[in-house]
Amino acid sequence: MFKRVRDFFYILPKANPRANINAFFNYVEGLLARPTPISLPLGLDLVLTKACNLRCLFCVSYGSLTGERWMSFELYERIAARLFWVAHDVFVCSGGEPLLYPRLQDAMRLVRDNRARSTVTTNGMLLRSEVASWMIEDQSVHELCISFDGARKHTLERIRRGADYNAILSNIGRLNRLKMSQGVEYPRMWFRFVAMRTNVEELPAMIELCARYGLYKVVVKYLNVSNEMDFEESLFRHPESAAEAFERTRHKADELGIEVELPPLPGANDSGGKCRYPWTFCQIDTDGSIRFCYHSWRQRIGFFNDDFAAVWRGEHYHELRRTVNSASPYYPYCRYCVVRRGYDYESAHHQRLHADAYVIPGLEHLQTPFNLRAEENRCALGQSR
């Protein structure tokens, strides 16, 4: 809760005034659980590409309904014209590696020009000098999240297959030096760390890497086992290891002045809370199909091209909002979601459980399969951009 309030007041004076008006109505409508809101989403996640240059151990991708693996820039421009002016945040962090997208610079300029905050998540391999230069010059990427799951070379390269530990740190260091030499605020860099049994002990060393390379925080997420990985890798099975590493990480973060965001420990009586995603958030895939949260992996709910307002205020979203916090949600997975139930249940750490809950009965025509990363990359990289 404190983080959400802090972030809101951080962005309030920077945002488009119309976005602040939208945020006010959005908060009230979410609080009242109004199923058909006047307001539009505060946060947008746009999937620019399904292609990735790595094959991470834990990665499972998903198909797009029409087979499109790259978002056309014309579609992106229409989304921007319709929604950016009322959004506080635009995320480019799902699907594939965004630095592969040919017009990423143009895409980020549209976010900046609409006074929304942009967050780009990258594995750092393509953060080369030319990319660093336009990021510093444009000041259009506000938050740059680097997915980095090991403080040691062997660990990182084992988990993120195809990554080069030294090259990524060299890229980060170059960007930080350029940022300091120009005296600019953006991009603010941070690490996203997926914690599991075989890397959690390296978390304190991740804080040291932040201090050394100019990153300001580490955000820790639990591994959600979703493919052939052994569930023994999940910290749900090793809460003592998580507790010990988290405590050492807090001490190191306090010592070095680095922010750290740690999830609640499994078994710590985390009871979750009410979900507001159907009011605050929307993801739009490469083909314009719409997802309503990060846990609606397989289930789409409509298309941007069908008139976004008609989908956003249509019958399916209406039922989602009306039932999301009930015992019988329209999207069955809401019964097991970490947002509602917390981290004390195996389902919060094991995506293969309750497989039938990831779809809405009757919306089979809007459902997509999971794909292995290697298969997804072959499809995406085989398409013309």
Side-chain angles (χ1 to χ4, degrees), residues 194-208:
V194 176
M196 59 193 83
R197 178 180 60 86
T198 52
N199 73 353
V200 70
E201 67 175 20
E202 298 181 26
L203 257 178
M206 291 292 298
I207 302 296
E208 295 175 349

Side-chain angles (χ1 to χ4, degrees), residues 25-305:
F25 282 102
N26 189 278
Y27 175 79
V28 172
E29 290 177 320
L31 194 65
L32 298 176
R34 182 174 179 175
T36 307
I38 297 171
S39 61
L40 292 167
L42 306 183
L44 301 167
D45 186 314
L46 303 183
V47 182
L48 298 182
T49 178
K50 300 287 193 177
C52 188
N53 53 330
L54 302 184
R55 292 175 294 107
C56 301
L57 283 179
F58 49 77
C59 184
V60 170
S61 189
Y62 45 85
S64 51
L65 288 166
T66 61
E68 295 292 334
R69 259 58 181 191
W70 299 81
M71 181 178 285
S72 73
F73 198 71
E74 183 269 337
L75 171 59
Y76 182 91
E77 288 179 307
R78 285 191 286 112
I79 295 169
R82 180 70 180 88
L83 296 175
F84 283 11
W85 62 281
V86 291
H88 270 176
D89 287 282
V90 175
F91 306 98
V92 179
C93 63
S94 298
E97 169 53 53
L99 295 188
L100 286 169
Y101 191 67
R103 299 193 64 179
L104 182 63
Q105 182 179 7
D106 295 331
M108 293 301 97
R109 283 174 174 168
L110 277 177
V111 182
R112 179 201 63 193
D113 292 349
N114 281 276
R115 294 175 62 181
R117 177 172 58 178
S118 63
T119 299
V120 172
T121 298
T122 175
N123 58 51
M125 284 291 291
L126 303 178
L127 194 59
R128 299 177 179 130
S129 57
E130 62 272 19
V131 176
S133 294
W134 71 251
M135 285 186 179
I136 295 299
E137 180 179 350
D138 282 10
Q139 291 289 279
S140 58
V141 176
H142 302 124
E143 300 286 316
L144 184 64
C145 166
I146 295 100
S147 296
F148 205 80
D149 310 307
R152 300 171 187 155
K153 176 179 172 66
H154 170 75
T155 305
L156 186 280
E157 294 180 359
R158 175 182 61 83
I159 294 171
R160 295 196 168 265
R161 292 174 294 193
D164 184 322
Y165 176 91
N166 293 325
I168 295 169
L169 290 180
S170 176
N171 290 343
I172 294 170
R174 177 174 53 241
L175 177 56
N176 186 54
R177 289 191 299 273
L178 187 57
K179 179 181 169 182
M180 293 179 65
S181 69
Q182 297 296 316
V184 296
E185 183 178 4
Y186 304 120
R188 304 198 312 161
M189 293 187 289
W190 47 282
F191 282 136
R192 185 181 189 273
F193 183 96
V194 176
M196 59 193 83
R197 178 180 60 86
T198 52
N199 73 353
V200 70
E201 67 175 20
E202 298 181 26
L203 257 178
M206 291 292 298
I207 302 296
E208 295 175 349
L209 284 180
C210 278
R212 189 180 314 153
Y213 286 92
L215 295 88
Y216 79 96
K217 72 175 177 179
V218 178
V219 175
V220 179
K221 302 291 184 181
Y222 286 125
L223 171 71
N224 192 335
V225 177
S226 57
N227 53 22
E228 69 276 6
M229 287 187 72
D230 188 341
F231 190 60
E232 278 300 312
E233 271 293 300
S234 169
L235 288 171
F236 180 77
R237 293 283 180 86
H238 307 279
E240 300 85 2
S241 297
E244 180 184 355
F246 285 9
E247 185 63 22
R248 290 190 293 115
T249 301
R250 289 189 188 94
H251 285 306
K252 184 60 70 173
D254 289 342
E255 174 190 333
L256 297 179
I258 301 296
E259 295 181 29
V260 61
E261 295 179 16
L262 297 166
L265 289 167
N269 297 316
D270 173 37
S271 58
K274 289 190 174 181
C275 178
R276 296 188 66 243
Y277 269 84
W279 288 269
T280 63
F281 174 84
C282 177
Q283 184 182 77
I284 304 178
D285 211 339
T286 47
D287 60 352
S289 54
I290 294 170
R291 286 199 301 165
F292 44 89
C293 82
Y294 285 120
H295 295 282
S296 62
W297 306 100
R298 290 191 57 199
Q299 185 66 68
R300 303 299 192 270
I301 203 167
F303 284 89
F304 179 84
N305 286 341

